[in-house]
């Protein structure tokens, strides 16, 4: 594979955001294309994944992973092709799943790379339905949520890459599935294309009443990836023995302080106790990496059988990554957000 550029563009963290990120928090720079040393690879980014967890990495605080340093390249999973290989296990032209971040080119010593072959079909799927979001949906729902046929499953961000997959796996497992999404178009898509039984617009003034009406027997599994007002409405509807996998809280990522109002922690704790609810957070590759092959086999079977539908929101150009990312945090994407870089 030949290099198509003479420079390496990269987007760095220029400053730490207070509240929602803005363009001023990012810097698009041009640097020299790096040169691999013995045992290393030069990778050309074809596709970059944008995901909500990246907002937390912009903060300078303790978390499950180190924050991005000021002036460092923004982190992110990528699908790349090998340009130059000085590594015995890789050849020029091969496709790999990597973690080279928001840039045109990156260097790897091979650690953590996943081979995708010489001519993969839909290579960007490795960033979505066959990657971290799909894996998150699969393990969170099946291992923590433990859905049973006849259960009522509610999932927020229902047309996002995690929520859409959660709901469809729930249908495969015989659940009654209710999605929550923003806007009539997304709600209709969840029902008509993804096969959800119902989908409720969280922007509706009577959202509480609509959710209650949609769950006449309560909620057995709530897949949490949003938090905020959606969880406020879900909490009183949780059944005894309900399971709540928690993979994200996207509505809270830009918050600079706790919400106003009375302290409701005792209400949450009391509900968990009295109803014996299981609520468990998880970090997908930290907690479930050894089970990736199990997920991959099942998901490939479901995709090939047409049981899982998948939608990408593809944006062309690395230079558009920061605007796409800030829009995603406001719910502007429709499907898995991918930047086409090469």
């Amino acid at each position: 594979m030949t290099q198509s550029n003479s420079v390496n563009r990269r987007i760095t963290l220029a400053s730490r955001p207070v509240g929602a990120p803005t363009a001023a928090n990012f810097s698009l720079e041009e640097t020299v294309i790096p040169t691999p040393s013995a045992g290393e690879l030069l990778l050309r980014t074809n596709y970059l994944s944008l995901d909500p967890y990246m907002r937390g990495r912009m903060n300078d605080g303790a978390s499950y992973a180190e924050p991005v340093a000021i002036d460092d390249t923004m982190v992110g999973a990528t699908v790349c092709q090998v340009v130059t290989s000085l590594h015995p296990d890789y050849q020029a032209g091969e496709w790999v799943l990597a973690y080279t971040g928001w840039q045109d080119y990156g260097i790897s010593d091979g650690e953590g790379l996943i081979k995708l072959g010489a001519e993969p079909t839909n290579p960007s799927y490795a960033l979505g339905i066959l990657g971290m979001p799909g894996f998150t949906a699969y393990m969170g729902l099946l291992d923590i949520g433990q859905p049973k046929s006849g259960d009522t499953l509610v999932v927020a961000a229902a047309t996002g890459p995690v929520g859409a997959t959660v709901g469809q796996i729930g249908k495969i497992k015989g659940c009654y599935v209710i999605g929550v999404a923003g806007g009539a178009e997304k709600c209709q898509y969840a029902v008509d294309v993804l096969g959800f039984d119902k989908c409720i617009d969280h922007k509706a003034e009577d959202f509480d009443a609509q959710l209650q009406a949609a769950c006449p027997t309560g909620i057995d599994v709530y897949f949490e990836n949003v938090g905020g007002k959606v969880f406020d409405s879900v909490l009183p509807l949780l059944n005894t023995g309900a399971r709540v996998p928690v993979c994200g809280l996207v509505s809270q990522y830009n918050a600079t302080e706790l919400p106003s109002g009375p302290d409701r922690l005792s209400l949450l704790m009391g509900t968990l106790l009295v109803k014996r609810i299981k609520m468990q957070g998880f970090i997908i590759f930290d907690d479930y990496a050894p089970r990736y092959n199990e997920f991959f086999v099942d998901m490939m079977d479901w995709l090939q059988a047409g049981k899982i539908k998948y939608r990408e929101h593809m944006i062309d150009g690395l230079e558009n990554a920061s605007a796409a990312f800030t829009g995603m945090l406001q719910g502007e994407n429709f499907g898995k957000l991918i930047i086409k870089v090469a």
Side-chain angles (χ1 to χ4, degrees):
M1 180 184 178
T2 58
Q3 298 176 12
S4 58
N5 288 354
S6 58
V7 298
N8 178 39
R9 299 173 304 158
R10 65 180 192 137
I11 296 178
T12 63
L13 181 64
S15 59
R16 301 202 183 279
V18 178
T22 68
N25 299 127
F26 303 94
S27 177
L28 177 61
E29 303 175 354
E30 292 187 352
T31 63
V32 176
I33 295 174
T35 301
S37 301
E40 293 184 331
L41 314 157
L42 174 64
L43 302 177
R44 173 69 162 112
T45 306
N46 285 270
Y47 300 100
L48 165 68
S49 177
L50 296 184
D51 300 284
Y53 78 85
M54 295 172 178
R55 175 62 185 85
R57 300 291 294 277
M58 298 173 75
N59 295 334
D60 187 14
S63 186
Y64 63 89
E66 290 294 318
V68 178
I70 298 298
D71 297 328
D72 272 5
T73 303
M74 282 291 296
V75 297
T78 52
V79 166
C80 303
Q81 279 184 283
V82 178
V83 178
T84 304
S85 176
L86 301 179
H87 191 295
D89 295 336
Y90 295 89
Q91 302 296 320
E94 280 188 280
W95 291 72
V96 294
L97 175 62
Y99 199 72
T100 49
W102 298 25
Q103 58 183 342
D104 287 318
Y105 294 91
I107 294 289
S108 171
D109 62 3
E111 183 177 357
L113 295 185
I114 296 176
K115 290 193 174 193
L116 300 177
E119 296 181 4
T121 302
N122 299 317
S124 60
Y125 279 26
L127 299 173
I129 192 65
L130 295 176
M132 182 270 290
F135 193 23
T136 297
Y138 179 92
M139 295 309 316
L141 180 62
L142 298 184
D143 192 64
I144 300 174
Q146 299 181 355
K148 301 183 295 294
S149 182
D151 277 353
T152 294
L153 164 65
V154 174
V155 56
T159 60
V162 175
T165 309
V166 167
Q168 292 180 90
I169 296 174
K171 290 303 298 180
I172 290 171
K173 298 300 180 180
C175 295
Y176 180 74
V177 177
I178 299 162
V180 176
E185 182 184 7
K186 290 182 177 180
C187 287
Q188 184 173 357
Y189 175 82
V191 174
D192 293 348
V193 177
L194 302 180
F196 287 31
D197 295 286
K198 291 184 179 179
C199 189
I200 303 170
D201 185 354
H202 66 73
K203 299 177 182 179
E205 292 183 4
D206 61 342
F207 172 72
D208 278 356
Q210 287 193 44
L211 182 63
Q212 186 172 1
C215 305
T217 61
I219 298 171
D220 300 297
V221 183
Y222 172 58
F223 196 102
E224 176 65 286
N225 52 13
V226 170
K229 70 175 187 179
V230 175
F231 182 71
D232 290 346
S233 299
V234 164
L235 182 60
L237 301 177
L238 292 173
N239 288 330
T240 297
R243 289 81 67 199
V244 183
V246 182
C247 79
L249 295 168
V250 69
S251 72
Q252 309 303 303
Y253 290 164
N254 290 328
T256 57
E257 59 185 14
L258 292 173
S260 60
D263 180 359
R264 291 174 293 166
L265 182 59
S266 60
L267 171 63
L268 172 61
M269 298 299 290
T271 304
L272 296 180
L273 172 62
V274 172
K275 292 187 175 181
R276 287 90 79 195
I277 292 167
K278 176 184 179 181
M279 189 174 192
Q280 181 178 332
F282 67 104
I283 306 299
I284 186 60
F285 283 106
D286 287 5
D287 296 329
Y288 291 107
R291 298 181 66 177
Y292 177 81
N293 285 341
E294 171 189 338
F295 149 74
F296 185 84
V297 169
D298 280 349
M299 187 56 68
M300 283 298 295
D301 286 346
W302 291 334
L303 284 169
Q304 291 170 358
K307 294 181 178 180
I308 294 283
K309 303 293 193 300
Y310 176 59
R311 176 171 178 152
E312 291 181 317
H313 186 138
M314 189 77 71
I315 292 179
D316 191 47
L318 179 66
E319 66 277 7
N320 295 314
S322 57
F325 176 70
T326 56
M328 175 188 65
L329 295 176
Q330 303 299 322
E332 294 177 5
N333 61 301
F334 195 166
K336 175 69 188 85
L337 186 58
I338 303 284
I339 300 295
K340 186 177 181 181
V341 178

